[in-house]
Amino acid sequence: MRVEKSNFSIVRMVRLLHVSRSGYYAWLDRLPSKRAIRREVVKAKVGWFHGDSDEVYGSPRILAECQIASGSITVVDAALRSASSTSSVRM
């Protein structure tokens, strides 16, 4: 909505998206959740380990190497996918 604010009014966008104006403005001022902050930290660690391994390591090995606090391979896998990183096999 922030991007389209110059093209459309807030009133029109909230009506089309079926959200309240007060809810939209409350969302603007909201701080990121603990989960969102943790995801960003995991994403940064995963990105560093993936790059440090010459982009060869996949999510199981990255999880084992960096001992991420979440302890979940799905979190590491999601961080790899969101960074559009894939491991490559070299022969």
Side-chain angles (χ1 to χ4, degrees), residues 64-76:
E65 285 285 324
C66 64
Q67 297 299 315
I68 294 175
S70 70
S72 171
I73 196 164
T74 53
V75 172
V76 174

Side-chain angles (χ1 to χ4, degrees), residues 38-52 62 66-70 76 79:
R38 187 174 60 236
R39 279 188 187 141
E40 289 301 316
V41 169
V42 168
K43 193 174 175 181
K45 285 183 179 182
V46 166
W48 186 85
F49 275 98
H50 187 67
D52 193 47
I62 290 174
C66 64
Q67 297 299 315
I68 294 175
S70 70
V76 174

